Amino acid sequence: MTGENQLVDASPRTPDGAPVPPAPMPPVPAPAAPAMPAPAAAPEQVSRARRLALPAFTLASVAGAFAYVGAVDPNEPGHYPVCPLFRLTGVLCPGCGGLRSAHAFAHGDLVTALGANAMAVVGYFGFAVFMALWLVRAYRGAPAPRFAPQPRYWWAIGAAALVFSVIRNLPFGSALAP
């Protein structure tokens, strides 16, 4: 027998040519009794100090930034860079006067802070409310407040910044210019 389709029997054979019977299968052990389920893990208790660490660090960082701006007067030339938009075009952006506003705010002069950049002062108070809420919730063990406004609110904030920017650049809005 020759050819490609030749059937080759590779099974083991005894010397007289008879097939070797298969070896007996080892006995299958009986299934083990079901294991006791592990006790449910209690939720991990996080210490109050650890819960307060991130909001306290954030507050300390912002307080440090305000302390620096309060100590180094932005009204004196050379301490801070000039706004690139204002330098190139002469147009006040929504952030122009923000450092002067922060300096006045750090010194407790709210009227001067509002005159330098009223929108920044609104932001300072908004941040203060958020930080107070975050610290209280962290102290009580509640989850951190989530600031995720819907897109329509982001559009409203952007529109308010645009209107603020346009008005402060017009002659009748000079009270909003720094």
Side-chain angles (χ1 to χ4, degrees):
M1 256 170 57
T2 62
E4 300 174 13
N5 296 329
Q6 181 178 3
L7 178 61
V8 177
D9 186 12
S11 61
R13 305 244 175 214
T14 61
D16 64 348
V20 175
M25 296 292 290
V28 177
M36 293 295 292
E44 184 180 327
Q45 295 294 327
V46 179
S47 70
R48 182 172 287 159
R50 186 164 182 180
R51 287 191 316 259
L52 288 170
L54 185 59
F57 176 75
T58 303
L59 186 60
S61 299
V62 172
F66 264 90
Y68 179 78
V69 173
V72 180
D73 190 0
N75 294 309
E76 295 178 20
H79 290 151
Y80 299 100
V82 177
C83 172
L85 181 67
F86 183 71
R87 179 172 289 231
L88 295 173
T89 65
V91 174
L92 296 168
C93 75
C96 282
L99 285 173
R100 283 173 268 185
S101 174
H103 179 76
F105 194 81
H107 286 276
D109 189 359
L110 189 59
V111 174
T112 304
L114 284 166
N117 191 328
M119 195 167 198
V121 174
V122 170
Y124 305 152
F125 283 114
F127 179 78
V129 167
F130 180 80
M131 281 305 305
L133 181 63
W134 191 9
L135 284 165
V136 167
R137 293 186 82 175
Y139 183 81
R140 292 181 179 169
R146 186 169 173 241
F147 182 71
Q150 296 175 356
R152 61 183 167 161
Y153 294 120
W154 284 116
W155 282 103
I157 291 168
L162 180 66
V163 168
F164 176 73
S165 200
V166 168
I167 290 176
R168 73 191 310 208
N169 283 291
L170 295 174
F172 65 85
S174 62
L176 295 174

